[in-house]
Amino acid sequence: MRCVWPTPIATLEVDNRLSWFLGRLDQTYGDRAYDVHLRRDDLSVARSYRQRYGI
């Protein structure tokens, strides 16, 4: 597999705002793109938000 972007291959960009660009990414990369669906522990996520935002 060849890296087509200037970041290391081991880097994953995880940001739900990227979903706004799925159409454009599909047009650009088509069948060469990979979708990775991440699953997280709900309690860990809640703790992370609580720590980050002080809630």
Side-chain angles (χ1 to χ4, degrees):
M1 183 166 82
R2 184 175 67 84
C3 182
V4 294
W5 57 88
T7 57
I9 195 67
T11 300
L12 288 175
E13 187 67 34
V14 180
D15 189 334
N16 63 344
R17 295 172 292 182
L18 290 173
S19 64
W20 291 97
F21 300 102
L22 289 176
R24 190 180 324 172
L25 290 171
D26 183 55
Q27 288 176 351
T28 302
Y29 297 104
D31 291 337
R32 295 176 296 148
Y34 293 92
D35 290 336
V36 177
H37 297 266
L38 302 176
R39 295 177 59 180
R40 294 183 64 190
D41 176 61
D42 292 341
L43 187 55
S44 295
V45 172
R47 286 180 182 146
S48 173
Y49 277 116
R50 184 178 64 199
Q51 182 178 5
R52 181 180 304 158
Y53 298 111
I55 53 175

